[in-house]
Amino acid sequence: MKAKISTVITGGTSGLGYEIMNTFLNEGWKVAVCGRRKAEIEKIKREHYNSILAEICDIRIEAAISLFLNKVKTELGGIDVLILNAATIGPLPLPKVEDLRIEDLRMTFETNFFGNFNFLKYSLPLLREDSMIIHITSDAATMPYPGWGAYSSSKAAFDAIVRILNVELKERKIQAFSYDPGDMDTEMHHKALPNDLSPLKNPKDVSKALLGEIMRRLG
């Protein structure tokens, strides 16, 4: 593998995405990160002056994806590891299926499925041989948790795309897989389950575990 691995991380302004960014920068990787929140992107730029490409990008907007990935191509040259981390939990408080509105379902899929799909499509020409695509998924994609209908179905749908992609990209020696980080101490988790008192994983530890999985797969 190259001396410096180039990675692109979506949804990198908080939670797991932010910790993945820091972990990979500490390993000497070339990192490009995007997110929707301007203040958080500016903070990342200040923290990692001249050592990271950090840009505002709403993955629901095709033109924003194109603009960001053009900058990735110019500054990183290509992508070795693509991490599709951006996601929305969906309507809150979490509704039962009988109370789930069709517009809430569409809104959730707009980010978790269609947004990720568009970002993936635009990224494919930048992926190098022996590169990797990772979709950050959840056990909610396979376990029937009450109230999680929108999020769970959107994640399960994109997991299916990733499995098919892994087969289709074998000729390019590109791996595609979904990675379940488990329940973490993040803003998203606390919004979804504000009264949850169960033990939660530290996103820093999860980011290190993901790094280990990536390096194992890269050989």
Side-chain angles (χ1 to χ4, degrees):
M1 205 62 190
K2 303 164 186 66
K4 280 198 172 184
I5 302 173
S6 297
T7 185
V8 170
I9 306 163
T10 66
T13 56
S14 65
L16 179 60
Y18 182 80
E19 297 303 338
I20 292 172
M21 173 195 72
N22 284 321
T23 295
F24 291 4
L25 280 172
N26 289 337
E27 288 294 311
W29 289 30
K30 291 166 33 175
V31 176
V33 64
C34 68
R36 288 187 289 183
R37 295 186 281 190
K38 181 179 179 180
E40 299 304 321
I41 289 293
E42 294 301 324
K43 177 186 174 185
I44 289 171
K45 288 181 177 180
R46 291 193 300 271
E47 290 174 342
H48 302 287
Y49 182 69
N50 279 343
S51 63
I52 191 171
L53 172 62
E55 298 289 337
I56 299 169
C57 177
D58 186 335
I59 66 170
R60 298 172 300 181
I61 301 172
E62 196 165 348
I65 295 172
S66 179
L67 182 62
F68 173 62
L69 289 176
N70 281 337
K71 293 181 179 180
V72 169
K73 183 178 181 179
T74 299
E75 297 198 21
L76 275 63
I79 303 172
D80 297 305
V81 178
L82 171 62
I83 300 179
L84 299 169
N85 172 70
T88 179
I89 197 65
L92 294 172
L94 297 170
K96 293 181 179 179
V97 170
E98 63 184 299
D99 299 318
L100 184 62
R101 301 180 305 168
I102 190 68
E103 54 265 37
D104 290 329
L105 192 63
R106 286 185 175 129
M107 178 271 291
T108 309
F109 267 75
E110 193 64 37
T111 296
N112 296 356
F113 186 84
F114 296 111
N116 273 310
F117 182 79
N118 252 352
F119 198 97
L120 174 63
K121 286 276 288 184
Y122 273 86
S123 300
L124 287 175
L126 299 182
L127 289 167
R128 298 185 175 106
E129 187 175 281
D130 292 319
S131 61
M132 190 176 296
I133 300 163
I134 304 164
H135 170 230
I136 302 300
T137 190
S138 167
D139 66 334
T142 56
M143 295 293 292
Y145 297 122
W148 289 75
Y151 181 84
S152 298
S153 57
S154 65
K155 283 292 185 180
F158 201 75
D159 281 347
I161 290 286
V162 172
R163 288 193 297 271
I164 294 168
L165 194 65
N166 185 55
V167 176
E168 293 177 346
L169 292 178
K170 282 186 177 179
E171 289 185 0
R172 290 179 60 186
K173 299 180 180 178
I174 297 174
Q175 300 179 58
F177 64 96
S178 293
Y179 184 84
D180 176 12
D183 293 336
M184 296 178 291
D185 186 6
T186 63
E187 178 184 353
M188 179 181 284
H189 183 90
H190 292 299
K191 281 183 176 180
L193 300 171
N195 299 317
D196 184 17
L197 299 177
S198 61
L200 299 172
K201 294 181 180 179
N202 187 325
K204 290 183 180 180
D205 296 333
V206 175
S207 70
K208 293 174 183 176
L210 176 58
L211 174 64
E213 176 65 15
I214 290 170
M215 298 312 294
R216 182 187 69 80
R217 286 174 177 260
L218 290 175

